[in-house]
Amino acid sequence: MLPGSIQITGEALSGAEIKDICDSLKENSVRLLSVRGCQLSDRDFGRVCRGVAESHSLAQLNLNLGVVSTISRTKQLADALKANRSVQTLFLHGSPLLDAGLVTLNGALSTHPSLVSLDLGDCMLGDEAVRLICGMLPPDGAKSGLKELTLSANPAISTQGWARLAIAVAHSSQLRVLNLDYNPLGDHIAGMLAVAVASSRTLEVLDLEGTGLTNQSAQVFLDMVENYPTSLRVLVLAENDISPELQQQISDLLSEGEEEEDKDGEARGSSVTPREKPAWVPHSITGSKRLGQKGSTENHISHALLRKDHFYLRNRNMNFS
């Protein structure tokens, strides 16, 4: 049987359910495990972590909304990730990690051989955490790093911290998606990010929804996309004090750039465009986000618990962060 999904949202997990999860992990029959917002005892959390450590099939792990609630659990997760080699996407959105928690996780995250997507939104992070995250965005010629990074709603990060991140983004050889929505960035920090985007050869999606920007920032981005070649394809500016006209101009120019690139690829008689399209697909940008409309970075799916050959639907139409 091909690996399946275990997805449960906002429930108190029973011992039997924990056993099912752990057995499935150890049997390598799970590719996606989500226990978003679920309540489980410290003992059961440890059991799940041991299952993660042993799994060779698990590619996506969602522990959003307070599942990793203590430094003890953070240490258990770090130990599990050190042993695991298969996880590609890790969601910790809404976990009270603080900088100390990321210090605990850093060794496991920065050396994980498969991790390409990391969600640390609303994790109460500060500048020390950003310094560590920058180490996961290695420059050209260095080791592989993250392709997608979410740092939404971490207001404790200072201007200095964002400046450090902007430099890392400018030189990253891997990063394609950066979600910074609902941080109090303002026009000054947005200007730094515009320079980073202009310098990056890989960044395709930048989410700045609800970050305190004005037409001043929008004009900088407009000048950038109008006059300089860039890999950027999606810029989300919703919920800012930016005129609809400026947002539309930027969106149109980005769309034109993508269409011209596709035409160039067709003219060369190849199905691959000049900037090669990879098989990897970002997890966090929904259709509404791509259009620059208001919307959460959460993906909407039905949550199911896979047990052997049967699906038990639970919490249908809940959000999956």
Side-chain angles (χ1 to χ4, degrees):
M1 184 176 68
L2 292 175
S5 299
I6 298 176
Q7 303 176 59
I8 314 171
T9 295
E11 294 190 13
L13 299 181
S14 67
E17 288 171 321
I18 294 294
K19 184 178 185 303
D20 282 344
I21 291 170
C22 293
D23 288 346
S24 297
L25 287 168
K26 293 175 183 178
E27 294 167 2
N28 295 312
S29 60
V30 178
R31 182 170 175 80
L32 187 158
L33 171 61
S34 173
V35 289
R36 177 184 181 274
C38 288
Q39 299 87 50
L40 60 165
S41 69
D42 288 341
R43 176 176 175 272
D44 286 341
F45 182 83
R47 292 170 63 192
V48 171
C49 283
R50 287 190 292 275
V52 169
E54 295 180 31
S55 177
H56 302 294
S57 64
L58 186 65
Q60 186 174 135
L61 177 60
N62 188 325
L63 301 174
N64 281 355
L65 301 185
V67 177
V68 185
S69 55
T70 64
I71 194 66
S72 174
R73 291 192 177 192
T74 305
K75 290 176 180 176
Q76 289 177 303
L77 177 60
D79 289 341
L81 292 172
K82 286 176 183 177
N84 176 276
R85 315 311 271 177
S86 63
V87 171
Q88 299 173 21
T89 300
L90 177 62
F91 294 97
L92 295 173
H93 202 112
S95 303
L97 294 179
L98 302 170
D99 285 0
L102 201 65
V103 169
T104 300
L105 286 170
N106 181 60
L109 297 177
S110 60
T111 60
H112 197 285
S114 301
L115 188 67
V116 294
S117 180
L118 180 62
D119 186 343
L120 295 172
D122 195 19
C123 285
M124 304 171 68
L125 303 181
D127 289 358
E128 175 61 16
V130 170
R131 184 184 69 80
L132 297 174
I133 291 166
C134 288
M136 304 175 204
L137 304 173
D140 292 350
K143 63 182 181 179
S144 62
L146 295 176
K147 295 181 179 179
E148 179 174 2
L149 173 63
T150 296
L151 288 174
S152 314
N154 280 294
I157 299 173
S158 72
T159 299
Q160 182 179 359
W162 292 121
R164 184 191 291 269
L165 180 70
I167 294 170
V169 169
H171 293 282
S172 170
S173 59
Q174 303 287 326
L175 191 66
R176 294 175 182 158
V177 179
L178 180 61
N179 299 311
L180 302 180
D181 46 318
Y182 296 102
N183 284 296
L185 302 181
D187 291 328
H188 179 61
I189 295 171
M192 299 180 196
L193 292 170
V195 174
V197 172
S199 301
S200 172
R201 291 182 292 173
T202 61
L203 192 68
E204 299 178 1
V205 178
L206 177 61
D207 187 350
L208 297 177
E209 179 176 346
T211 50
L213 309 189
T214 69
N215 285 345
Q216 178 182 328
S217 294
Q219 189 63 57
V220 170
F221 281 112
L222 178 62
D223 292 342
M224 179 195 70
V225 299
E226 192 169 26
N227 298 306
Y228 299 95
T230 174
S231 296
L232 194 67
R233 295 294 172 264
V234 179
L235 177 62
V236 182
L237 295 173
E239 296 299 294
N240 286 297
D241 189 17
I242 297 173
S243 70
E245 293 78 15
L246 271 175
Q247 293 193 49
Q248 190 61 53
Q249 283 180 271
I250 295 170
S251 178
D252 290 346
L253 284 168
L254 291 173
S255 298
E256 287 174 11
E258 193 163 15
E259 289 171 3
E260 288 174 5
E261 186 176 81
D262 291 340
K263 288 178 182 177
D264 288 342
E266 291 173 3
R268 297 182 187 199
S270 170
S271 60
V272 180
T273 62
R275 181 173 49 80
E276 184 176 354
K277 303 288 187 181
W280 176 83
V281 177
H283 294 279
S284 62
I285 299 298
T286 64
S288 63
K289 280 279 187 175
R290 288 188 58 85
L291 293 172
Q293 299 169 355
K294 180 180 178 182
S296 167
T297 53
E298 293 184 335
N299 296 319
H300 299 281
I301 66 169
S302 295
H303 291 267
L305 171 60
L306 174 67
R307 183 176 301 161
K308 303 306 178 184
D309 295 325
H310 299 89
F311 284 96
Y312 295 83
L313 294 180
R314 316 176 74 161
N315 298 333
R316 184 180 298 274
N317 297 325
M318 297 292 289
N319 284 332
F320 174 66
S321 356

